[in-house]
Amino acid sequence: MIPANLLRPLTLEATLTTTPVTVVVPTRNSARTLERCLASVRAQTHPVELVVVDNASTDATRKIAAGFADLVLEHGPERSAQRNHGWRAGSGEVVAFVDSDMVLEPEVVGQAVAALAADAALGGLVIPELSFGEGFWSRCRAVEKRSYLGDPAVEAARVFRRPALAEVGGYDEALSAFEDWDLADRVAAAGYRIGRVTATVWHDEGRITLRSAFRKRRYYGRWLPVYRAKASARSFGRPRSLRRLARLGPPPRTAGLALLKAVEAAGLLAGARDAGGEGRR
């Protein structure tokens, strides 16, 4: 006779360990980094359902994605909308969001599933993020990323239970910057706890220049007024991380990071002014 406990339906937490995790990767002209990213998703120790959501790429992005993904979708106009389209098209009870210039360590998804299965109160999980790249400014960025580890003012969850995403409506599509903070904080405000795994995601910075850093932050700055208008907006102060910087990198890199952050702050403010000008026209 089959034992009665084996006839009972599996709880949601139990099914997490036996079903694939939906991993959503938004892309746009990501050919330089995409193959390494998607290969790292496929190399996870836990099964995944890989969903790539492209936004009108003109390089080899879609061809690369077709070689790895279970679903390759087309959607825009920005990454928040792409991510929402991706998780809604997927089927996993756990959803992870990975950028196309990131590389996952093999245990990330498995650790996330184990954590969520062990604690029903968890709604999201932070993946610790480090970075690599070429040149002096990328090495400065690597120091910055190390200083942020474990700082709740900076880190944001990238893995969520599907019910938590559905409850808060996913990403705010009015934001294409600061959207990671916004989503994680809304999930927490809905009553879920945010945990973390120990396996790391590595961000491929490529070759940073001061000009490229300014341009990128100017682009992000277009959404700064929208984000700052939210009651839940985070402070941009980093007291905890700043105290760690002196211990983490040699003086030339910490001095270089100070200059890099000043350039990026100028870019954010320029982008915010651009957005204000557009609103007045």
Side-chain angles (χ1 to χ4, degrees):
M1 179 178 293
I2 300 175
N5 67 313
L6 296 183
L7 295 175
R8 290 196 296 268
L10 291 173
T11 65
L12 176 59
E13 276 61 45
T15 64
L16 295 184
T17 62
T18 60
T19 57
V21 168
T22 296
V23 179
V24 179
V25 182
T27 61
R28 180 174 171 83
N29 293 332
S30 304
R32 183 185 73 84
T33 59
L34 187 60
E35 183 170 358
R36 186 183 300 186
C37 170
L38 299 185
S40 77
V41 175
R42 281 296 179 208
Q44 293 299 295
T45 58
H46 185 90
V48 298
E49 173 193 47
L50 178 52
V51 181
V52 174
V53 186
D54 189 51
N55 182 13
S57 289
T58 56
D59 62 3
T61 290
R62 286 185 67 89
K63 181 178 180 181
I64 295 169
F68 290 91
D70 297 293
L71 288 173
V72 181
L73 307 174
E74 184 77 26
H75 198 72
E78 292 283 357
R79 63 190 184 191
S80 291
Q82 290 175 268
R83 289 168 175 163
N84 283 340
H85 190 66
W87 73 261
R88 288 168 180 150
S91 60
E93 286 298 315
V94 177
V95 182
F97 297 98
V98 177
D99 293 343
S100 60
D101 56 0
M102 291 179 166
V103 181
L104 297 179
E105 292 183 349
E107 296 289 341
V108 166
V109 171
Q111 288 185 10
V113 168
L116 292 170
D119 187 348
L122 287 172
L125 295 166
V126 170
I127 309 173
E129 182 179 331
L130 295 172
S131 71
F132 65 96
E134 301 175 13
F136 175 72
W137 301 111
S138 294
R139 291 192 288 274
C140 294
R141 177 75 79 215
V143 172
E144 178 187 17
K145 294 288 189 181
R146 290 200 300 275
S147 77
Y148 290 162
L149 291 176
D151 189 341
V154 182
E155 293 184 323
R158 286 188 170 273
V159 183
F160 299 93
R161 292 183 189 271
R162 181 175 291 272
L165 285 175
E167 183 173 339
V168 303
Y171 286 92
D172 182 348
E173 295 184 17
L175 293 172
S176 287
F178 319 108
E179 76 283 359
D180 294 333
W181 287 351
D182 176 68
L183 174 59
D185 293 343
R186 284 188 289 115
V187 168
Y192 296 93
R193 289 200 306 105
I194 304 296
R196 62 188 292 115
V197 299
T198 58
T200 302
V201 59
W202 290 82
H203 188 175
D204 183 352
E205 302 282 356
R207 182 174 291 277
I208 298 173
T209 67
L210 293 180
R211 177 174 293 184
S212 69
F214 179 86
R215 286 177 177 170
K216 187 173 184 178
R217 288 306 188 275
R218 186 170 188 169
Y219 178 73
Y220 290 165
R222 294 163 54 189
W223 290 276
L224 182 60
V226 177
Y227 179 67
R228 293 302 297 270
K230 288 176 171 272
S232 59
R234 297 187 186 186
S235 167
F236 284 72
R238 301 286 181 268
R240 177 173 172 175
S241 299
L242 287 173
R243 288 194 295 269
R244 301 178 65 191
L245 278 174
R247 304 194 307 270
L248 292 172
R253 292 186 191 176
T254 54
L257 179 58
L259 175 57
L260 179 60
K261 298 309 291 181
V263 168
E264 290 180 333
L268 281 175
L269 292 175
R273 287 195 299 268
D274 293 344
E278 291 172 2
R280 290 191 294 270
R281 285 200 290 270

